[in-house]
Amino acid sequence: MCANVIVAEDDAKQAELVRRYLEREGHAVTVVSDGLAALEQARQGAPDLLVLDVMMPRADGLDVVRILRSEGRELAVLMLTARATEDDLLLGLDLGADDYMTKPYSPRELMARVRTLLRRTRRDGGREDSHVLRVGSLAVDPVRHEVAVEGVGVECTPGEFRLLSAMAAEPERVFTREQLLAELHGFDRYISSRTVDVHIMNLRKKIERAPRRPARLLTVFGVGYKLMDPQKGAPRAAAR
C-alpha cells in the first residue's frame, strides 16, 4: 500500500527517522520543517497522509490542520506532539485530525498507525457500492464522500464521515462508544472514548437544526448513540 506522505517535523533527527521508516514500507516521502511549508506541500498534488508535528515554526500543527479542513482537503492527518493531556488530544481531533500520538513514541507503533489510516482511507474512498445511505433527509454517499441534509451539502472531516457512515448504514441501531471508537481508530488504549463525544458534538452542529436538542443523532443514556429519522418521532427525553 504505497502512498504519498508529507512529514512536517522541525526536529531534523526525528524527521529523518520517520522518513526512513516510511520509505522502508514503500511510501514516497516529502519532509518539511515548518507549518507554512506543510500547507504548501499539502495543497500540491494529492498527498494521502500528513504526519504533522504540533509545535513548529511559522505555523503550528493545529493551525495547519484547521486551515486544511476549512479548505475541504481530505488527506488523512496524524498529529505528533509532546503535549500529552486529554484536552490537547481532543482539540486536535476536534479540528479535524484523524489520529494523534504523543512523544516519545515507538516508530513501529507509528508505522502501524500509518497502515491503519491508509487502509481505512483507501477503503472509504474505493467502495464500488454507489448506494447512497439515507436516513430521512440525511444522505451519506460513501463513494463520493459527500453528506447532505435536506439537499444542502455538509462538510465533514474524515473521522466524522466514517462515524456518520457507520451509523447511517444501520439507522436506529444503538452503537456503544467502544464500537464507534473502533470505527474511528481501532481499539487503542491511548485514545479516550471522549473522542467519540467530540465527533458527535461536531456532527450535531452540522446536521441538526437545533444541536442542543438533537432529533437525528441521539444519545442513549448509559449505552451510546444512534442515528434516527426525525420524522419517526424519537422521544426527546433521550436526545440530549
Side-chain angles (χ1 to χ4, degrees), residues 138-141 144-149 151-156 160-161 164-165 203 206-207:
L138 171 70
V140 181
D141 189 328
R144 295 181 176 85
H145 210 277
E146 294 175 349
V147 176
V149 178
V152 178
V154 175
E155 293 291 335
C156 292
E160 291 166 1
F161 186 85
L164 192 59
S165 296
L203 280 169
K206 297 177 179 182
I207 69 172

Side-chain angles (χ1 to χ4, degrees), residues 38-60:
L39 281 171
E40 181 179 352
Q41 286 295 324
R43 288 165 173 160
Q44 296 176 1
D48 301 294
L49 172 67
L50 172 59
V51 179
L52 178 65
D53 187 30
V54 171
M55 300 298 291
M56 288 190 300
R58 301 181 71 195
D60 69 23

Side-chain angles (χ1 to χ4, degrees), residues 1-7 18-19 21-23 25-29 48-52 76-80 98-101 105-122 185 188:
M1 186 184 298
C2 298
N4 293 320
V5 183
I6 301 168
V7 176
V18 175
R19 183 188 66 78
Y21 270 85
L22 286 167
E23 289 183 343
E25 297 208 356
H27 303 305
V29 184
D48 301 294
L49 172 67
L50 172 59
V51 179
L52 178 65
V77 177
L78 193 164
M79 300 193 78
L80 307 175
D98 297 284
D99 204 350
Y100 201 105
M101 290 189 68
Y105 53 81
S106 159
R108 292 179 60 189
E109 182 185 355
L110 175 62
M111 293 305 103
R113 299 281 192 98
V114 166
R115 287 192 294 270
T116 298
L117 270 178
L118 291 174
R119 185 164 55 244
R120 190 165 58 224
T121 301
R122 301 282 171 85
H185 297 286
D188 185 344

Side-chain angles (χ1 to χ4, degrees), residues 85-186:
T85 70
E86 187 177 66
D87 286 342
D88 291 325
L89 180 153
L90 294 174
L91 177 58
L93 296 174
D94 189 25
L95 291 173
D98 297 284
D99 204 350
Y100 201 105
M101 290 189 68
T102 56
K103 299 178 179 180
Y105 53 81
S106 159
R108 292 179 60 189
E109 182 185 355
L110 175 62
M111 293 305 103
R113 299 281 192 98
V114 166
R115 287 192 294 270
T116 298
L117 270 178
L118 291 174
R119 185 164 55 244
R120 190 165 58 224
T121 301
R122 301 282 171 85
R123 181 194 70 193
D124 291 346
R127 293 176 181 170
E128 295 180 359
D129 181 8
S130 61
H131 176 66
V132 177
L133 305 171
R134 298 186 185 277
V135 184
S137 60
L138 171 70
V140 181
D141 189 328
V143 174
R144 295 181 176 85
H145 210 277
E146 294 175 349
V147 176
V149 178
E150 299 177 355
V152 178
V154 175
E155 293 291 335
C156 292
T157 68
E160 291 166 1
F161 186 85
R162 286 193 298 273
L163 188 152
L164 192 59
S165 296
M167 301 184 79
E170 299 184 73
E172 301 187 34
R173 172 187 167 182
V174 179
F175 288 81
T176 66
R177 285 176 173 82
E178 289 73 22
Q179 288 167 334
L180 293 174
L181 191 62
E183 189 67 29
L184 288 167
H185 297 286

